[in-house]
Amino acid sequence: MRASDIPGDFDHVLYTEEQVASRIREVAAQIDADYAGREILMVGVLNGAVMTMADLCRAMTSHMSMDWMAVSSYGAGTKSSGVVRILKDLTKDIDGRDILIVEDIIDTGLTLSYLVQNLRSRNPNSIEIMAMFRKPEVVTCPLDVKYVGFDIPNEFVVGYGLDYADKYRNLTDVATLAPHVYKS
Ligand code: XMP
Ligand code: MG
């Protein structure tokens, strides 16, 4: 589904499907170059990172395997609760592995700071982060993000895996919501 299929719900489109796909290919090439000859364990953060993971790993030529975590930091709305809980943990041991965390969006950086700290205690060889979107707020958090799809303004965005109250994840482009959607 494209934003133009339900025009009343969105304010404006930030990135089209084509722009997202093109940026994914660039980041994939960068990752392949950095990890040449190594096998990556990509750790996707559910549910938001599913689209990024699916497209990114298929654009890569590196050997990789995949695992998933689910954490909660946000409720149904658009404000951070400040609380991070592990709802679903990894299924594999990461001792000695090269971990690439795949995340949909970084806002305050709170979620990823917690995640990195948690995974580091399991003794991997390395941990890097790929975030499809990054908001300016993250400057308040000391977080080393190696791969970023797009730096975006401080607006609430949906699509390409990102949701509002669990909706709009299936939007192929990335858009801001019309004000009436928040209010209804
Ligand atoms: P922090 O603040 O911990 O938040 O970096 C990261 C998580 O917050 C959610 N988030 C968003 N979700 N549109 C969304 O659909 C947004 O604009 C947005 N900003 C933050 C998201 O779940 C992310 O993992
Ligand atoms: Mg998320």
Side-chain angles (χ1 to χ4, degrees):
M1 170 177 89
R2 288 179 176 246
S4 55
D5 293 326
I6 38 169
D9 281 13
F10 305 108
D11 188 65
H12 60 277
V13 170
L14 270 95
Y15 299 103
T16 62
E17 179 177 359
E18 293 73 21
Q19 287 172 311
V20 168
S22 147
R23 183 64 189 133
I24 284 278
R25 283 193 294 272
E26 289 175 0
V27 176
Q30 207 184 332
I31 293 171
D32 284 335
D34 292 349
Y35 285 88
R38 288 151 76 194
E39 188 180 317
I40 309 170
L41 176 56
M42 294 173 76
V43 172
V45 184
L46 294 169
N47 297 323
V50 288
M51 309 299 176
T52 303
M53 174 71 98
D55 289 341
L56 183 67
C57 72
R58 285 180 296 173
M60 289 164 43
T61 55
S62 307
H63 287 296
M64 57 80 64
S65 52
M66 197 188 287
D67 207 344
W68 298 91
M69 283 183 86
V71 296
S72 79
S73 61
Y74 274 46
T78 62
K79 285 271 185 303
S80 176
S81 68
V83 178
V84 181
R85 274 194 308 142
I86 292 184
L87 305 177
K88 185 220 169 289
D89 207 342
L90 297 175
T91 55
K92 301 176 187 105
D93 189 0
I94 64 169
D95 193 346
R97 302 296 306 269
D98 291 309
I99 305 297
L100 179 60
I101 299 174
V102 179
E103 175 66 302
D104 51 0
I105 189 164
I106 304 176
D107 186 357
T108 61
L110 196 79
T111 311
L112 274 180
S113 297
Y114 171 84
L115 217 53
V116 167
Q117 202 187 344
N118 183 288
L119 295 183
R120 203 163 269 152
S121 72
R122 307 183 197 189
N123 204 31
N125 184 51
S126 67
I127 302 181
E128 298 293 352
I129 297 167
M130 186 280 168
M132 193 60 212
F133 303 99
R134 180 171 63 183
K135 291 186 178 181
E137 197 104 13
V138 74
V139 293
T140 59
C141 193
L143 193 62
D144 195 7
V145 185
K146 191 156 188 185
Y147 309 101
V148 178
F150 297 104
D151 277 301
I152 64 168
N154 202 8
E155 297 177 303
F156 195 79
V157 297
V158 296
Y160 199 64
L162 290 160
D163 71 301
Y164 174 68
D166 244 0
K167 283 161 63 183
Y168 307 113
R169 290 193 200 276
N170 60 331
L171 205 63
T172 52
D173 30 25
V174 178
T176 60
L177 285 174
H180 79 84
V181 178
Y182 293 98
K183 288 169 191 152
S184 60

